[in-house]
Amino acid sequence: MNLDHVFVCGHPALDFAATLRARRSTRFEMFVTPERLNAWYLESGLVDTITPAEESDVREATAVREAVYHLVTDRRLGEEFAPEALELLNSAARRTPVTPQLTPEGRLTEATPAQALATVARQAVELLSGPDIPLLKECGNPECTRVYVDRSRGMRRQWCGMESCGNKYKAAAYRARKKPASAAASR
């Protein structure tokens, strides 16, 4: 699996939660180093520059990420929020967020990993208390556990992303349908 961060969920907090992939099977962790955590903050567009993260930042970010994932799942399934996850998210959201600055060249957002995490936590609070709750769906690929905002016409979207899951799943289904037909033809 590649190490490029993917942003297909339609909301930064959902993309953050999706940095642990394939939760029901192989589980692939994207935040394996402080550098990978910082890369996510940069690639997401949340910050322009960030101070180097430490292992403690990774541990805190993964804990908040898991809280976000569980809260999103609870909300999507219409269940009560897990109190521990709620407290963890709210604690992170209470911290100082990223603050953009205006420079002669334009907007510049410099941050620490803690500020970036506080900003993601605040985005999760907004998502989980906002109007997009009915639009939250889990990817139709059984191996994928990404949750995305389905803004498609008629809410017909099935995949977190066609490139990441849809094409792979459709190709596998096509091969599975063709296999019995080719076996029958060779008899």
Side-chain angles (χ1 to χ4, degrees), residues 155-187:
M155 285 192 60
R156 291 185 158 157
R157 184 173 161 188
Q158 294 182 311
W159 320 106
C160 62
M162 280 307 291
E163 211 172 282
S164 52
C165 284
N167 287 339
K168 292 174 189 170
Y169 194 77
K170 286 180 170 185
Y174 176 79
R175 284 191 303 276
R177 284 192 311 270
K178 290 296 181 188
K179 197 175 206 176
S182 63
S186 64
R187 288 185 198 167

